[in-house]
Structure formats: C-alpha cells, structure tokens
Amino acid sequence: MTEKNTDSIFGCFVSVTQPYPDASQEVKDIASEQGHLFRTYIWGEQGICNRLKKLKHTHYGKDLELILFQFYVNPLLVELQNMKEIENYRKKEKAIGIPIIINGENFFSKPEEGRFDFLKEAILQKLDLLTVVVKRKKLDTQVEQLKNDLLENRFSEV
C-alpha cells in the first residue's frame, strides 16, 4: 500500500513478508500481527506518514517530487541480499525509493517510544544518504532544509 499526496515530497510504502508456507501457524500469526502493528505506526492516528506528507515538494526544488520510504517488515534473507541502501533516482518520475528494514531486533523488541525513535533515526540516516545522491546527480533538491523542517515541524511531536 502506498500513500502519495500530489504535492507532498514524502510517501510511504509497507511490504510485510509472509513466512514460508511450511512455517508453523504461530509464526504466521506473529508475522500477521507484526504487519498490522507496524502499519499503525505509518498510517494510524499518530502515524508518521501523516506528519511527513505535510511537507511539500515545491519548497525544496524542482528535481525531486517524491521520496518514497519503503518499509520492509521482516524481509527474507534473499530480499535483503538484493536490497540497496537507497534506490536510483528515477528522472522521469522525479522520484527515489528509500528502503528501511523493520524487524524484531530494531523495532518490535522496543517499547513504543523506542519504535518511534528508531523510525525517526532511520529516516534521518536515509536522508543523509539522499544528500550524497542529490550532489552526485546535481539535483536542485535542498535536502538539508528538508531535514531541518522535518526535525522542527514533524518529529518534534514524536
């Protein structure tokens, strides 16, 4: 599921990996529960996507209209092996995908405040990687201003 406001610079996508078919019912139930729980952190009442989508792409330049945070919940090893830290810039779409891994160690084992802290830190770290891409591709996107606005206006509530 993706969410994209036409003028928002941020969008969110969540992929929940299903266990192997021969996994126990308990493992399948846990995966389903974790997927449902994680989605509330993205699209729920206090979800981060609601906060992120208030930032408009027109305020940060013309070359990048969508930064899509791609959250992968409990990805399989084969998925991890093929995943990049940040995807290539898609010039036609004026978009870039940024994968973020969600698992028991970095998210589900933490209390609620720790989960929001993890999401905040993961997003900020990925924006640091985006800065490198923007410079390398000579895009006009003001990533530092975007990070500052994000810290001042959106993450202060978390």
Side-chain angles (χ1 to χ4, degrees):
M1 177 187 265
T2 61
E3 169 125 350
K4 174 70 174 90
N5 185 325
T6 56
D7 57 352
S8 173
I9 194 162
F10 291 117
C12 296
F13 166 86
V14 174
S15 172
V16 179
T17 301
Q18 297 303 309
Y20 289 108
D22 61 349
S24 71
Q25 188 59 47
E26 180 183 6
V27 169
K28 292 176 183 178
D29 291 346
I30 290 170
S32 178
E33 289 170 22
Q34 287 181 339
H36 177 73
L37 174 66
F38 182 73
R39 285 183 181 99
T40 65
Y41 282 84
I42 302 303
W43 292 295
E45 194 173 310
Q46 297 297 315
I48 63 165
C49 198
N50 294 329
R51 297 174 191 179
L52 295 174
K53 72 181 180 181
K54 295 176 183 172
L55 296 172
K56 310 301 179 199
H57 67 81
T58 53
H59 297 152
Y60 304 100
K62 296 179 180 168
D63 289 334
L64 192 56
E65 293 182 3
L66 175 62
I67 299 167
L68 183 63
F69 290 112
Q70 303 164 321
F71 298 98
Y72 293 93
V73 180
N74 298 320
L76 300 172
L77 183 58
V78 68
E79 292 173 300
L80 290 172
Q81 291 170 339
N82 295 313
M83 201 173 290
K84 297 179 179 182
E85 278 193 287
I86 190 168
E87 292 185 352
N88 293 326
Y89 171 68
R90 295 185 289 279
K91 187 175 183 178
K92 268 184 145 179
E93 298 171 22
K94 295 186 174 187
I96 194 161
I98 300 181
I100 297 177
I101 306 304
I102 305 298
N103 58 35
E105 183 179 324
N106 66 19
F107 187 82
F108 295 109
S109 65
K110 299 180 184 296
E112 184 169 329
E113 185 176 320
R115 291 172 179 174
F116 278 116
D117 287 345
F118 167 75
L119 291 172
K120 174 182 173 180
E121 291 305 314
I123 287 169
L124 292 174
Q125 287 172 0
K126 292 294 184 163
L127 289 178
D128 287 340
L129 291 174
L130 179 62
T131 301
V132 174
V133 172
V134 164
K135 286 179 183 174
R136 189 178 67 229
K137 295 284 185 181
K138 297 182 173 122
L139 305 177
D140 71 352
T141 307
Q142 301 168 21
V143 180
E144 286 304 313
Q145 183 63 48
L146 179 59
K147 277 180 58 177
N148 289 338
D149 289 352
L150 194 59
L151 283 167
E152 288 177 19
N153 302 315
R154 303 297 162 228
F155 282 138
S156 60
E157 303 165 19
V158 173

